[in-house]
């Protein structure tokens, strides 16, 4: 797989949003939890939209 510089930059920015200036395992864990929470929120919104459309 290959990624564009814009994709890499966006991923780096998303991770750094949660790292809180830390540079260890705790920072990595914060990034994973933060990104997972964002994804769960987006999925819940999509699921809600799909339910509304179905009714």
């Amino acid at each position: 797989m290959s990624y564009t510089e814009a994709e890499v930059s966006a991923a780096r920015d998303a991770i750094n949003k949660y790292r809180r200036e830390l540079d260890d395992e705790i920072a990595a864990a914060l990034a994973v939890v933060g990104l997972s929470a964002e994804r769960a929120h987006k999925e819940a919104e999509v699921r809600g939209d799909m339910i509304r459309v179905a009714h």
Side-chain angles (χ1 to χ4, degrees), residues 1-13:
M1 295 181 93
S2 61
Y3 299 95
T4 66
E5 186 61 35
E7 290 170 324
V8 172
S9 180
R12 189 178 302 123
D13 290 344

Side-chain angles (χ1 to χ4, degrees), residues 3-54:
Y3 299 95
T4 66
E5 186 61 35
E7 290 170 324
V8 172
S9 180
R12 189 178 302 123
D13 290 344
I15 290 169
N16 287 335
K17 180 167 81 171
Y18 295 104
R19 289 179 65 114
R20 299 186 185 190
E21 305 298 325
L22 301 172
D23 195 24
D24 55 11
E25 289 86 8
I26 294 172
L30 288 172
V32 168
V33 170
L35 294 172
S36 295
E38 280 186 16
R39 182 176 178 140
H41 178 74
K42 288 177 186 176
E43 288 175 356
E45 287 180 339
V46 169
R47 187 171 41 254
D49 290 346
M50 291 173 69
I51 290 169
R52 279 190 290 282
V53 169

